[in-house]
Amino acid sequence: MAIVLDGKKLSLESEKDFSKRVEKIKARNFSTPILATILVGSDPASATYVKMKGNACKRVGMDSLKIELDEATTTSELIKKIEELNANKDVHGILLQHPVPVHIDERSCFDAIDINKDVDGVTSLGFGRMSMQERAYGSCTPYGIMRLLKEYKIPLEGKSAVIVGRSPILGKPMAMMLLNENATVTICHSRTTNLPEIVSTADILVGAVGIPKFIKSDWIKDNAVVVDAGYHPEKCGDIDLEGIISRSYAYTPVPGGVGPMTINTLIMQTLESCEAQLGLD
Ligand code: NAP
């Protein structure tokens, strides 16, 4: 029987621990961890994600500071807002909901976030430090996946890991995190020519493409660890999971696998940032 990498279960268990730590901070330091969320424009999916993150804060006793900016906000106006939050001692983490409207220079805005408050792990500096195995908050989806793999004691060292997708928030940091755990990593993308063949070499496969059921089950070898980062309205991911579940060593269900770990990791890192500011880490 394949191991179910149950992100929902792990995130609920972790929340119990986070709640206790938040209580301790409130009792000892008269302080509350605060995550600032910035939503630019009115994209309904982004608004839903921001709401879910605010709800997750509430569940563990943390606060969120919601900042909603007009669609027409410029890059410099957004950077100014981020700098205000950087300077605000009450704010421990800053989340800029991705994607921002196309006229905004998203990379410059991400990189304006203070490294100590980059709890979503989106800055270039944070990526560099994480890659060099220095202390940094990890990009939440790949780091959530790493936490899940660790929880279920999935061996990584010496394994062939194939990641389909190379986005700055998912595929690239995922590759560095797996490399840092001594996996042998291959990154695939839209110009990769022999994708099925490369996927068939994976002991550990991460699907992060953004196309429903794009990775076919018959490309995947028996006993692979199958991680599906995708989530689509039709309640499926980027991998055609049905055909592989029974042949896999372990897999992430969709929903209930990677998704809950992303928000959980954001909450965890906001809490860690607050603890670091208070000298509790
Ligand atoms: P993205 O920025 O759109 O990146 C998609 C990646 O897939 C790109 O690197 C792209 O290659 C590659 N790709 C596209 N078509 C391909 C093809 N035909 N063959 C091989 N590679 C191809 O997406 P993302 O933000 O990384 O997200 C990826 C998936 O993860 C999505 O399904 C998204 O919904 C999901 N996601 C989930 C969470 C969560 O919390 N669960 C969070 C973030 C994202 P190029 O670089 O060459 O264009």
Side-chain angles (χ1 to χ4, degrees), residues 49 98 141 164-171 188-192 195 207-211 214 228-232 237-238 258-260 262-263:
Y49 285 129
H98 154 97
T141 302
V164 189
R166 58 171 168 182
S167 74
I169 58 150
L170 218 172
C188 303
H189 46 78
S190 65
R191 320 292 160 80
T192 299
L195 189 62
V209 199
I211 305 171
F214 174 77
D228 194 341
Y231 182 66
H232 303 282
D238 293 348
V258 174
T262 300
I263 295 185

Side-chain angles (χ1 to χ4, degrees), residues 143-157:
Y143 190 38
I145 291 171
M146 294 306 286
R147 290 174 60 212
L148 204 45
L149 295 174
K150 189 169 180 212
E151 172 72 15
Y152 286 90
K153 298 184 173 55
I154 302 296
L156 303 175
E157 185 164 322

Side-chain angles (χ1 to χ4, degrees), residues 13-88:
E13 280 167 11
S14 306
E15 282 189 0
K16 287 185 202 153
D17 167 56
F18 302 163
S19 299
K20 283 186 201 146
R21 285 159 61 185
V22 171
E23 271 311 306
K24 214 186 254 179
I25 290 171
K26 286 183 177 175
R28 285 196 197 159
N29 303 83
F30 308 106
S31 181
T32 302
I34 297 183
L35 172 70
T37 60
I38 309 173
L39 176 65
V40 188
S42 53
D43 174 56
S46 293
T48 304
Y49 285 129
V50 168
K51 198 170 166 200
M52 285 165 75
K53 289 162 188 176
N55 289 343
C57 285
K58 256 191 224 147
R59 283 199 299 277
V60 301
M62 289 172 27
D63 282 343
S64 58
L65 174 65
K66 286 195 186 74
I67 290 146
E68 291 179 1
L69 300 175
D70 192 82
E71 182 88 30
T73 302
T74 64
T75 300
S76 57
E77 285 165 344
L78 182 50
I79 290 178
K80 194 161 167 267
K81 178 49 78 182
I82 291 167
E83 285 169 347
E84 274 172 36
L85 295 169
N86 286 342
N88 183 342

Side-chain angles (χ1 to χ4, degrees), residues 142-218:
Y143 190 38
I145 291 171
M146 294 306 286
R147 290 174 60 212
L148 204 45
L149 295 174
K150 189 169 180 212
E151 172 72 15
Y152 286 90
K153 298 184 173 55
I154 302 296
L156 303 175
E157 185 164 322
K159 300 292 178 189
S160 156
V162 174
I163 300 154
V164 189
R166 58 171 168 182
S167 74
I169 58 150
L170 218 172
K172 276 183 192 161
M174 184 83 259
M176 298 316 295
M177 288 176 194
L178 287 165
L179 183 64
N180 285 342
E181 292 300 326
N182 300 313
T184 302
V185 178
T186 306
I187 310 174
C188 303
H189 46 78
S190 65
R191 320 292 160 80
T192 299
T193 50
N194 49 347
L195 189 62
E197 195 184 311
I198 298 174
V199 166
S200 74
T201 66
D203 300 317
I204 297 156
L205 173 68
V206 180
V209 199
I211 305 171
K213 297 191 180 187
F214 174 77
I215 299 167
K216 306 300 170 216
S217 57
D218 59 7

